[in-house]
Amino acid sequence: MGARGPGAKPARAPRKLPLPVAPPVARGSTRADRLIAWCEGLTVTSGAHAGRPLILRPWQRGILEGLYATDAAGRRVVRTGVVSMARKGGKSGLASALALAHLVGPEAVPRGQVVSAAADRGQASIIFAELRAFALANPAIADRLIFRDFNKTAEDVVTGSTFAALSADARKAHGLSPTFAIADEVAQWRGRELLEALQTGMGAHAEALLLAISTRSPDPENPLEELIRYGDRVAAGTITDPTFRSFVWTAPLDADPWAESTWHLANPALGDFRSLDDVRAQAMQARGLPSKEAAFRAYTLNQPIAPDDRFIGPAEWDACEGDGEASGPCFAALDLASGAADLTAFACYWPETGKLRVVGFIPEAQLERKMQEDRAPYREWQARGLIVPIPGRAIDRAWLVGWLAAELDGLDLAAVAHDRWGLNDLLQVMDREGVSLPMKPHGQGFKDMSPSINALETAVLQRHLAHGGNPLLRWAVANAVVDMDPAGSRKLSKARARGRIDPLIAAVMAVGFASREPAAPTYEGVGWLLA
């Protein structure tokens, strides 16, 4: 078999290699016992137990004993399994160990096809990364596998079996004949075409297994929720189907979400490798922030509800209306409007005192029209110094950078965050005008915005934010809507917002940057610099 791709091993003839050492298994043990023993010969590669042998907990053993039960002839009966629990419960790690067992271990068959499918390529690659880490920690396994990282595949040179990570593109699944398939985070899949393609492709094998792992979905028509309902009927005996098993840990909707006993219903690993202190911290934040409560219920309690798109509630926000002193390092941020006459916002945050100052900019000739369009009292806010009119009918960037340089002159300025998009254009304007500011890129996607949103919310909860009751900023907070990705990361959505949120975006960037960046060298006296 030839190897292709960067870092691939040279082609070689298949040869027999020993499987990893596993704890001894007594004679007469079941198929599940042999699989459990093999899995416990693997090594944990991350987290608090990294470097230790994988020890399956009783609830994990129960899953394997149910999935790998056999009939009188020794054949595995179950063809479809569902495992649903809260996030960080070890679903991916267990599924990865099983995928490796079907690739090179006791469940491997000649020229088998093992696949992991998910809503997107990033999610699908999680199983690949875990499987690869397990394999590389065991020389006997690593020596017989060829990994191709560029397309997230692996090949066993002994049996000819393969592993592939698939994104939720059903066309890629047609033509496959999986012997073991993982449907990862099915609650995030759009439609059931991919699931059906995997199920029908497995029909050629007598002991193929499809394993769906996921937190729950708020959509009752989602494929996962249909599988869970079917599993409930099988468990209740209203349907007889020995080929289907489900294992679901979820908190009832009417349970007290703040009781630790409720948390255990959705987290079988809580207090073990799932940190109880982390869940306590999440619960504390969720009780005070509307945007956190629904996410806590959805991802930590595994309840079938939609994560709330609200941002910080008015009571929590108004509790931070005090003012602070502008002292210590200052972190600033600029949210420059994409439209020629739209609202631009600028924020300054002093983390030592929590002081947050936010102002907006609108072209003077457009103020009246923008007041009508945005239904906002811009003239009133202008009188209070919260809206700064820019001369003319459009945003004059040269004028704006001059205003910024004068405003920031003399401050202990650590950084000025700005969206990566358009930053080079702004730097060119600054260069022409002879202005130098410590500009830093800050993305607007989930990767950068989620930790910054968390930082602002934490400052609000800890009452370490002093926004002075700024009505422009409060208006933006009331308009805010958050989007959430499958991993629970969040960003502010301009498309779904109830109104302008530019002042809030600037504030989030400034506070977020301060939370994760060390103070830069002081830029005292920054301003108009002679070119």
Side-chain angles (χ1 to χ4, degrees):
M1 279 171 284
R4 298 291 185 268
K9 298 177 182 178
R12 65 187 182 196
R15 56 191 177 90
K16 291 292 183 181
L17 293 171
L19 291 176
V21 176
V25 183
R27 284 189 178 183
S29 60
T30 66
R31 184 167 175 174
D33 290 335
R34 292 190 290 273
L35 174 61
I36 290 169
W38 188 89
C39 289
E40 291 190 332
L42 301 175
T43 302
V44 179
T45 62
S46 63
H49 300 286
R52 303 178 188 175
L54 175 65
I55 302 298
L56 298 181
R57 277 49 176 177
W59 59 271
Q60 293 174 315
R61 288 170 171 259
I63 293 175
L64 269 57
E65 288 166 356
L67 293 177
Y68 290 86
T70 57
D71 59 17
R75 288 183 176 272
R76 183 168 41 75
V77 177
V78 175
R79 296 180 65 87
T80 302
V82 176
V83 176
S84 179
M85 66 184 72
R87 291 182 61 220
K88 300 183 180 180
K91 299 186 298 294
S92 296
L94 182 62
S96 301
L98 295 181
L100 192 60
H102 281 264
L103 183 63
V104 300
E107 292 297 318
V109 297
R111 299 185 63 192
Q113 289 186 356
V114 180
V115 300
S116 169
D120 55 57
R121 186 166 179 79
Q123 183 67 35
S125 66
I126 292 176
I127 299 294
F128 172 80
E130 288 290 327
L131 178 149
R132 185 178 185 276
F134 275 139
L136 295 182
N138 189 302
I141 297 178
D143 194 43
R144 62 187 283 175
L145 288 177
I146 298 171
F147 289 102
R148 300 180 177 91
D149 294 350
F150 71 98
N151 64 357
K152 303 297 186 290
T153 62
E155 180 182 352
D156 177 16
V157 299
V158 175
T159 65
S161 296
T162 60
F163 171 88
L166 305 176
S167 59
D169 184 349
R171 294 172 298 178
K172 296 178 181 178
H174 288 298
L176 292 179
S177 183
T179 49
F180 179 69
I182 300 169
D184 196 5
E185 290 299 341
V186 184
Q188 307 299 330
W189 291 20
R190 297 176 180 176
R192 54 182 51 80
E193 187 179 358
L194 176 58
L195 194 64
E196 291 173 350
L198 292 174
Q199 289 174 321
T200 55
M202 301 171 81
H205 302 286
E207 294 185 290
L209 175 61
L210 172 71
L211 180 62
I213 61 172
S214 182
T215 51
R216 298 193 64 177
S217 168
D219 179 8
E221 303 306 316
N222 182 272
L224 174 72
E225 292 303 307
E226 291 183 345
L227 289 172
I228 289 178
R229 287 197 299 272
Y230 185 80
D232 289 341
R233 296 173 68 187
V234 171
T238 58
I239 294 178
T240 301
D241 186 354
T243 70
F244 190 98
R245 288 295 302 269
S246 63
F247 306 85
V248 180
W249 285 266
T250 182
L253 291 173
D254 58 355
D256 179 3
W258 318 123
E260 292 194 6
S261 58
T262 300
W263 306 345
H264 284 275
L265 298 177
N267 296 271
L270 191 62
D272 184 5
F273 56 81
R274 178 66 177 101
S275 169
L276 180 58
D277 288 339
D278 179 59
V279 175
R280 284 172 178 159
Q282 289 184 27
M284 181 185 70
Q285 290 192 1
R287 296 189 77 164
L289 296 171
S291 64
K292 292 278 192 177
E293 179 178 344
F296 178 79
R297 289 177 176 270
Y299 296 119
T300 306
L301 301 186
N302 197 30
Q303 294 178 329
I305 63 175
D308 203 331
D309 64 1
R310 293 176 295 167
F311 195 52
I312 299 171
E316 293 291 335
W317 185 257
D318 291 344
C320 298
E321 64 181 3
D323 205 352
E325 184 180 353
S327 63
C330 174
F331 290 80
L334 177 66
D335 183 48
L336 187 59
S338 56
D342 285 337
L343 178 65
T344 287
F346 180 71
C348 286
Y349 177 63
W350 289 264
E352 287 188 3
T353 64
K355 180 179 178 62
L356 175 65
R357 181 187 175 216
V358 180
V359 298
F361 302 87
I362 297 177
E364 172 66 38
Q366 304 283 0
L367 251 175
E368 297 299 329
R369 181 176 67 84
K370 298 301 293 182
M371 285 178 60
Q372 298 300 320
E373 287 184 0
D374 298 344
R375 295 184 175 89
Y378 287 139
R379 285 295 184 192
E380 177 185 331
W381 292 339
Q382 178 186 356
R384 298 181 58 173
L386 302 175
I387 290 292
V388 180
I390 296 178
R393 300 186 58 82
I395 295 173
D396 185 337
R397 297 190 179 190
W399 183 94
L400 180 61
V401 299
W403 186 95
L404 294 176
E407 189 70 13
L408 297 172
D409 189 20
L411 295 181
D412 182 3
L413 186 62
V416 181
H418 187 280
D419 185 5
R420 288 189 180 90
W421 183 87
L423 179 57
N424 287 336
D425 291 340
L426 185 66
L427 290 175
Q428 291 177 10
V429 174
M430 292 172 60
D431 185 59
R432 289 197 303 267
E433 298 299 318
V435 173
S436 178
L437 295 172
M439 305 300 297
K440 300 289 185 180
H442 188 296
Q444 302 298 294
F446 291 110
K447 178 177 179 294
D448 286 342
M449 287 301 290
S450 189
S452 293
I453 288 173
N454 290 339
L456 180 68
E457 288 179 331
T458 299
V460 169
L461 283 176
Q462 296 178 347
R463 303 292 188 262
H464 190 65
L465 191 76
H467 53 65
N470 184 328
L472 170 68
L473 184 55
R474 192 183 193 281
W475 171 68
V477 170
N479 290 334
V481 169
V482 292
D483 288 334
M484 186 176 294
D485 71 1
S489 299
R490 297 174 298 157
K491 67 177 181 179
L492 294 168
S493 172
K494 285 191 174 182
R496 298 195 303 120
R498 304 174 184 92
R500 299 287 180 187
I501 60 170
D502 310 83
L504 176 60
I505 290 177
V508 166
M509 289 196 295
V511 176
F513 226 99
S515 72
R516 60 182 184 269
E517 290 291 326
T522 300
Y523 283 77
E524 294 182 355
V526 70
W528 293 96
L529 302 180
L530 295 179

